[in-house]
């Protein structure tokens, strides 16, 4: 940070940010000095490529192929995942993998291939290694899905981590998705994307390629098939993507390109092949199933980021109750905490918080507390003194504790890559639980700082345990928030073993879904931010993080009433529904935008409450299958090119299609429908897909369609669950899954399976179990036809 950065900071946060800006300047100066002393200069470098193949040694699930200047290990796991690693890189240690590497597939054997290469033939894919080190992944029919050209390393002559570049090719018709949460998605346009957790949004200078949840995870969809490629390396790097072009005839296609450049770390890759559902099921088996949220966490959350007090919380809750607006949780920002003691509530403004929390819980409203990793570097603070005694703070190359910048000012940071530090930190959540908090959201957990313009607040030379392996912040930065989420999740499992933890993180990496969800951070206000919100959620879902969502209408400023309503209508169908009234955004409760908006907002929130059993079912299915709640339209038909190009609508599970409004003044919009019959839920008019239809989208609603035959669990008028069934097309059947849930706890409920079909002039709904078809155990309401419905 230099003088120009400080001027920019003053313009952003005003004169109140000058002191923080000066601290940042000092911290940046200390960091640069520490990096100059603690990191070896790269100096002269020597380029290297694998060279010619020399020999191969078969082994379980694959084997090792040796080249003149490198070696490649290939492994096919029992779950069908394909792994390869260069220069001795194995699947572990890895922060992405949930457990030990899956067992190798004994049926997969390394065998000679044509032109002096080698190959491993497996059930779902064939891996071919050329004599120069190119690696191809082919379908069982021999079609190439991905071709990675021989890598190139740049190794410092005087020693140190080697930089490397890997160029990959995909089919000319392929489309790229993923890379974590990207505002440019969900289909990633040509461009360069950084793989370093920052704070994109109104206060960031990270650019379009910046993201707070970065992952080197590509979901690639082409006519020939779908595959996921994960390069397991948490170092800083970039991915440059360019879609291919199809020529006028055979041999004139230009393949799609991906160029991955990393500043260090291992060169290793996992590739998963199959349908999108199969790919994410395998991905979940590698990186761990998503954490199961308590049912209340799938309701409506409201954020109060200012200082406030207990009366402010009560006013917010009462305001929702008086206007019949469903509310399930209130999030309290940093203003409610004692900055010196991190986990301690400000006693002056919140003297009776446990009493208030208990009253709100009886009314169905939970309190959620923000937690940040920055610990004020001042003796006398409970957490600072305790962490110093336990020696859990990040140290520099010189052995001294590193000081960075956080909201409290000069701060130190726990080393969450050490098991002892995680256990110590997780124990501190007891204080917040005792105050009545039911959930936690982690902010600035990169560790990143607004004052540092979204960049890391720790120098790259800072030392980390990395589970005993040792390393510096270049290796730890991207996994820091993941390890903090793990500390919180495991601490809560110990402190409240009968309750499901609710942990929401701002930053993350591959595998972060094991410990909770994410929220989008400071999405830019305005209509572009509305569209970016959907891109973020869908991109994260395709990377295995199903539970996420934005702050409605962005972080700060005052949106127009129309923008606020359209954002809320979209968020009502996203996994995390979070409205926000933060600094500079006062009056952003639904009643602050006029009577008309309030009425329409009530409809959106009531519909979310009605669909809560469906969201609960989707959360259980995500845990069991890895499938995201929010899915692209091509989810069940990736070969449909028209659906691959559609980015302004999404599927919510298998049953609903949602088409938001992304522009002001729009009263009608076009919607691309996949194959099958779809009902407009507002008018119950049926449409046959595949088709492009135009429907009304007045200010009162966005376009939502139900799949014909769908069986959807919903909340009835009396609060109990019932089945909403959309009539199947004549001569066809439908169905759906329901997971009954008590709302919390660890009982694994049995999945209820239902089938809908026509019988004469009636729609019959049956529950299917091991004993055969039977009557539904819940009330049934059939929609989408005029003839008399029947249950059984």
């Amino acid at each position: 940070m230099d003088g120009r950065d400080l001027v920019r900071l003053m313009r952003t946060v005003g004169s109140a940010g000058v002191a923080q800006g000066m601290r940042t300047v000092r911290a940046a100066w200390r960091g640069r000095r520490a990096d100059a002393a603690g990191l070896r200069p790269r100096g002269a470098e020597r380029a290297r490529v694998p060279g010619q193949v020399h020999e191969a040694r078969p082994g379980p699930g694959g084997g090792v192929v040796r080249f003149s200047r490198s070696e490649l290990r290939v492994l096919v796991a029992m779950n069908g995942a394909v792994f390869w690693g260069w220069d001795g890189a194995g699947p572990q240690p890895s922060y992405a993998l949930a457990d030990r590497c899956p067992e190798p597939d004994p049926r997969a054997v390394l065998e000679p291939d044509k032109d002096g290469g080698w190959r491993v033939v497996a059930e779902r894919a064939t891996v071919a290694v050329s004599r120069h080190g190119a690696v191809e992944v082919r379908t069982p029919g021999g079609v190439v899905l991905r071709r990675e050209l021989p890598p190139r390393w740049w190794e410092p002559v005087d020693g140190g981590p080697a930089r490397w570049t890997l160029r990959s090719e995909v089919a000319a018709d392929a489309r790229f998705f993923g890379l974590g949460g990207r505002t440019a998605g969900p289909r990633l346009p040509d461009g360069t994307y950084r793989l370093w957790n920052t704070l994109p949004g109104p206060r960031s200078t990270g650019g379009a390629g910046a993201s707070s949840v970065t992952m080197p995870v590509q979901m690639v969809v082409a006519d020939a098939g779908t595959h996921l490629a994960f390069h397991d390396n948490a170092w800083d790097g970039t991915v440059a993507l360019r879609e291919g072009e199809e020529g006028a005839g055979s041999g004139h296609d230009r393949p799609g390109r991906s160029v991955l450049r990393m500043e260090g770390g291992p060169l290793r890759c996992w590739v998963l092949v199959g349908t999108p559902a199969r790919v994410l099921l395998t991905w979940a088996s590698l990186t761990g199933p998503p954490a199961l949220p308590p049912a209340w966490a799938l309701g409506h959350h409201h954020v109060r980021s200012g200082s406030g007090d207990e009366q402010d919380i009560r006013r917010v809750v009462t305001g929702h109750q008086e206007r019949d607006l469903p509310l399930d949780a209130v999030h309290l920002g940093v203003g409610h905490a004692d900055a010196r003691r991190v986990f301690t509530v400000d006693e002056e403004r919140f003297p009776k918080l446990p009493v208030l929390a208990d009253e709100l819980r009886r009314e169905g409203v939970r309190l959620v507390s923000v937690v940040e990793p920055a610990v004020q570097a001042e003796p006398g603070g409970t957490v600072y003194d305790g962490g110093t005694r336990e020696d859990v703070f990040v140290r520099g190359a010189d052995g001294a504790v590193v000081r960075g910048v956080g909201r409290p000012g000069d701060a130190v940071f726990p080393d969450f890559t050490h098991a002892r530090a995680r256990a110590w930190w997780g124990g501190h959540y007891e204080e917040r639980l005792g105050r009545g908090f039911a959930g936690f959201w982690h902010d600035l957990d990169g560790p990143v700082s607004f004052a540092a313009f979204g960049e890391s607040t720790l120098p790259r030379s800072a030392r980390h345990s990395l589970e005993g392996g040792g390393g510096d912040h270049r290796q730890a930065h991207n996994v820091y928030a993941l390890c903090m989420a793990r500390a919180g999740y495991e601490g809560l499992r110990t402190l409240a073993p009968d309750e499901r933890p609710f942990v929401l993180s701002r930053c993350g990496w591959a595998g972060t879904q094991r410990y909770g969800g994410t929220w989008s951070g400071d999405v830019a206000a305005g209509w572009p931010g509305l569209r970016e919100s959907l891109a973020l959620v869908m991109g994260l879902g395709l990377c295995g993080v199903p539970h996420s969502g934005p702050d409605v209408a962005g972080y700060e400023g005052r949106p127009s009433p129309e923008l606020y309503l359209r954002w809320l209508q979209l968020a009502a169908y996203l996994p995390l529904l979070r409205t926000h009234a933060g600094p500079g955004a006062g009056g952003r409760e639904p009643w602050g935008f006029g009577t008309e908006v309030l009425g329409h907002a009530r409809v959106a929130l009531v519909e979310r409450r009605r669909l809560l059993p469906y969201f609960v079912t989707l959360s259980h299915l995500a845990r069991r299958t890895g499938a995201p709640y929010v899915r692209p339209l091509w989810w069940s038909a990736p070969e449909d090119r028209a659906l691959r190009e559609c980015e302004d609508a999404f599927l919510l599970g298998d049953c609903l299609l949602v088409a938001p409004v992304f522009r002001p003044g729009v009263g009608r919009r076009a919607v691309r429908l996949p194959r099958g019959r779809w009902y407009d839920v507002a008018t119950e008019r049926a449409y046959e897909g595949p088709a492009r239809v135009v429907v009304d989208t007045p200010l009162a609603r966005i376009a939502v369609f139900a799949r014909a035959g769908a069986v959807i669990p919903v909340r009835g008028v009396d609060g109990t669950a019932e089945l909403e069934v959309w009539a199947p097309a004549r001569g066809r059947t439908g169905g759906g899954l329901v997971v009954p849930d008590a709302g919390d706890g660890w009982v694994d409920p049995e999945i209820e399976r239902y089938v809908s079909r026509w019988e004469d002039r009636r729609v019959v709904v049956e529950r299917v179990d091991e004993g055969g078809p039977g009557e539904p155990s819940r009330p049934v309401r059939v929609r989408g036809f005029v003839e008399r419905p029947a249950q059984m």
Side-chain angles (χ1 to χ4, degrees):
M1 184 174 184
D2 55 23
R4 287 174 297 182
D5 291 332
L6 183 57
V7 172
R8 204 159 66 240
L9 179 67
M10 290 179 62
R11 290 175 178 172
T12 303
V13 301
S15 58
V18 174
Q20 187 77 333
M22 295 303 299
R23 293 190 190 98
T24 303
V25 170
R26 290 195 297 269
W29 177 79
R30 290 196 303 263
R32 290 174 182 173
R33 187 175 64 173
D35 288 347
L39 296 179
R40 179 184 298 180
R42 298 200 67 90
E45 296 178 322
R46 181 186 299 110
R48 175 171 64 90
V49 294
Q52 289 274 0
V53 66
H54 274 190
E55 62 175 343
R57 188 178 70 245
V64 176
V65 182
R66 288 197 173 94
F67 299 82
S68 58
R69 291 181 292 275
S70 189
E71 71 174 31
L72 174 69
R73 178 186 177 188
V74 180
L75 167 72
V76 177
M78 283 294 295
N79 61 4
V82 175
F83 171 85
W84 62 80
W86 287 94
D87 293 339
Q92 293 176 311
S94 169
Y95 279 104
L97 269 61
D99 203 346
R100 60 188 180 88
C101 177
E103 294 295 324
D105 186 347
R107 300 168 296 177
V109 179
L110 184 66
E111 60 186 24
D113 198 10
K114 60 183 181 180
D115 298 328
W118 293 81
R119 69 179 183 179
V120 180
V121 180
E123 180 181 359
R124 299 177 197 163
T126 296
V127 185
V129 182
S130 78
R131 68 177 185 270
H132 297 292
V135 181
E136 288 185 352
V137 179
R138 305 169 183 162
T139 67
V143 179
V144 177
L145 293 176
R146 187 180 193 90
R147 184 171 190 262
E148 297 202 340
L149 302 177
R152 182 181 294 269
W153 294 267
W154 284 266
E155 300 170 330
V157 173
D158 296 330
R163 298 184 295 118
W164 53 265
T165 297
L166 184 66
R167 291 174 169 82
S168 306
E169 296 179 348
V170 297
D173 65 282
R175 298 293 179 259
F176 294 101
F177 300 85
L179 296 183
R182 302 286 174 171
T183 59
R187 170 187 164 192
L188 299 174
D190 293 355
T192 300
Y193 302 86
R194 192 180 180 193
L195 297 171
W196 186 257
N197 287 348
T198 57
L199 292 186
R203 297 190 182 186
S204 173
T205 59
S211 173
S212 58
V213 185
T214 63
M215 301 182 196
V217 178
Q218 298 176 15
M219 176 79 83
V220 184
V221 184
D223 288 353
T226 301
H227 73 272
L228 180 149
F230 169 50
H231 294 89
D232 193 353
N233 184 321
W235 283 62
D236 194 359
T238 61
V239 179
L241 301 178
R242 187 183 71 175
E243 291 183 350
E245 292 182 359
E246 294 182 285
S250 177
H252 294 276
D253 290 351
R254 189 196 73 187
R257 299 264 175 104
S258 167
V259 181
L260 177 61
R261 294 183 172 91
M262 302 300 293
E263 293 300 312
L267 203 173
R268 55 187 180 178
C269 180
W270 288 93
V271 173
L272 320 177
V273 177
T275 65
R278 168 67 71 176
V279 164
L280 285 183
L281 175 63
T282 307
W283 179 242
S285 72
L286 280 176
T287 61
L292 186 65
W296 62 263
L298 296 169
H300 172 212
H301 301 234
H302 186 71
V303 182
R304 294 290 299 177
S305 291
S307 53
D309 56 20
E310 292 179 6
Q311 293 305 313
D312 289 324
I313 300 174
R314 173 53 72 186
R315 279 194 292 270
V316 168
V317 175
T318 302
H320 283 80
Q321 292 172 337
E322 290 177 345
R323 296 168 176 86
D324 296 324
L325 299 173
L327 181 65
D328 298 274
V330 175
H331 292 221
L332 303 188
V334 291
H336 77 286
D338 184 333
R340 290 189 63 197
R341 293 186 283 179
V342 183
F343 282 95
T344 304
V345 172
D346 188 326
E347 295 282 356
E348 293 184 2
R349 289 182 294 112
F350 298 90
K352 298 180 180 179
L353 188 57
V355 176
L356 175 62
D358 186 61
E359 293 176 358
L360 294 180
R361 186 182 289 254
R362 289 197 297 269
E363 297 172 9
V365 179
R366 269 73 171 184
L367 293 182
V368 176
S369 174
V370 69
V371 177
E372 297 180 356
V375 177
Q376 187 176 26
E378 183 177 334
T382 305
V383 179
Y384 177 79
D385 290 347
T388 301
R389 289 192 302 270
E390 295 290 332
D391 189 21
V392 297
F393 297 128
V394 174
R395 294 182 176 271
D398 60 359
V401 173
V402 175
R403 290 196 176 194
V405 175
R407 284 195 225 257
D410 288 338
V412 294
F413 295 82
D415 181 7
F416 293 118
T417 69
H418 196 299
R420 185 180 71 246
R422 290 195 297 269
W424 168 82
W425 183 266
H428 281 83
Y429 288 76
E430 183 176 14
E431 191 276 339
R432 295 280 172 98
L433 289 175
R435 295 283 175 172
F437 287 104
F440 301 88
W441 54 295
H442 293 172
D443 199 1
L444 303 184
D445 50 349
V448 288
S449 169
F450 285 132
F453 294 95
E455 287 291 333
S456 174
T457 189
L458 292 176
R460 298 196 171 206
S461 59
R463 306 298 297 175
H464 292 265
S465 168
L466 293 168
E467 315 310 320
D472 57 43
H473 196 63
R474 294 174 296 178
Q475 300 162 260
H477 175 79
N478 279 340
V479 300
Y480 188 89
L482 168 73
C483 294
M484 180 179 175
R486 179 181 177 182
Y489 183 86
E490 292 178 347
L492 293 170
R493 284 296 306 267
T494 300
L495 295 168
D498 296 329
E499 299 179 5
R500 302 176 204 157
F502 175 64
V503 177
L504 199 63
S505 299
R506 184 188 197 119
C507 300
W509 203 64
T512 196
Q513 76 278 353
R514 299 192 296 265
Y515 311 115
T518 68
W519 99 102
S520 59
D522 301 340
V523 172
W527 290 93
L530 171 59
R531 192 171 192 124
E532 291 171 0
S533 296
L534 177 58
L536 287 162
V537 173
M538 198 176 299
L540 286 168
L542 293 176
C543 291
V545 184
H547 191 90
S548 65
D551 283 339
V552 169
Y555 173 71
E556 55 190 358
R558 184 168 178 80
S560 68
E562 183 184 10
L563 173 59
Y564 178 86
L565 179 60
R566 292 306 195 189
W567 210 316
L568 179 62
Q569 289 170 335
L570 165 62
Y573 294 94
L574 299 180
L576 176 66
L577 168 56
R578 213 173 87 135
T579 52
H580 193 284
R588 293 210 311 182
E589 285 80 15
W591 54 87
F593 295 91
T595 304
E596 183 181 14
V597 169
L598 174 61
H600 298 327
R602 181 183 300 111
V603 171
L605 293 176
V606 168
E607 178 65 5
R608 173 56 174 251
R609 176 64 61 86
R610 192 180 77 91
L611 289 174
L612 187 59
Y614 185 50
F615 276 93
V616 169
T617 292
L618 293 178
S619 71
H620 278 273
L621 296 179
R623 180 167 181 80
R624 299 186 189 206
T625 69
Y629 308 33
V630 171
R631 307 167 186 177
L633 294 189
W634 48 260
W635 177 257
S636 298
E639 71 283 353
D640 189 329
R641 294 192 178 190
L643 296 182
R644 291 210 298 260
E645 307 299 323
C646 183
E647 302 181 276
D648 61 355
F650 62 92
L651 298 174
L652 181 60
D654 287 329
C655 300
L656 297 177
L657 188 156
V658 182
V661 173
F662 293 111
R663 293 183 292 116
V666 173
R668 288 172 65 80
R669 65 150 290 176
V671 182
R672 175 73 62 179
L673 297 178
R675 184 177 303 277
R677 175 174 293 181
W678 296 86
Y679 294 97
D680 184 330
V681 300
T683 64
E684 299 197 17
R685 178 181 174 183
Y687 297 87
E688 293 293 335
R692 184 176 180 270
V693 301
V694 178
V695 296
D696 292 332
T697 54
L699 194 61
R701 66 177 187 269
I702 58 177
V704 181
F705 296 82
R707 189 189 301 272
V711 179
I712 306 173
V714 298
R715 182 186 177 109
V717 177
D718 61 356
T720 61
E722 64 181 31
L723 301 179
E724 181 173 87
V725 181
W726 290 87
R730 290 283 185 172
R732 297 179 179 270
T733 61
L737 303 176
V738 178
V739 182
D741 188 294
D744 211 339
W746 299 99
V747 175
D748 200 12
E750 179 184 355
I751 296 178
E752 298 177 2
R753 292 172 170 82
Y754 292 93
V755 173
S756 62
R757 59 182 175 83
W758 282 95
E759 186 176 283
D760 297 327
R761 300 185 61 185
R762 303 184 308 163
V763 171
V764 175
V765 180
E766 300 173 330
R767 179 177 175 179
V768 181
D769 53 30
E770 295 180 356
E775 293 189 11
S777 57
R778 310 170 189 282
V780 174
R781 184 164 63 98
V782 180
R783 298 180 65 184
F785 80 121
V786 296
E787 297 159 304
R788 186 174 64 86
Q791 291 188 25
M792 181 67 181

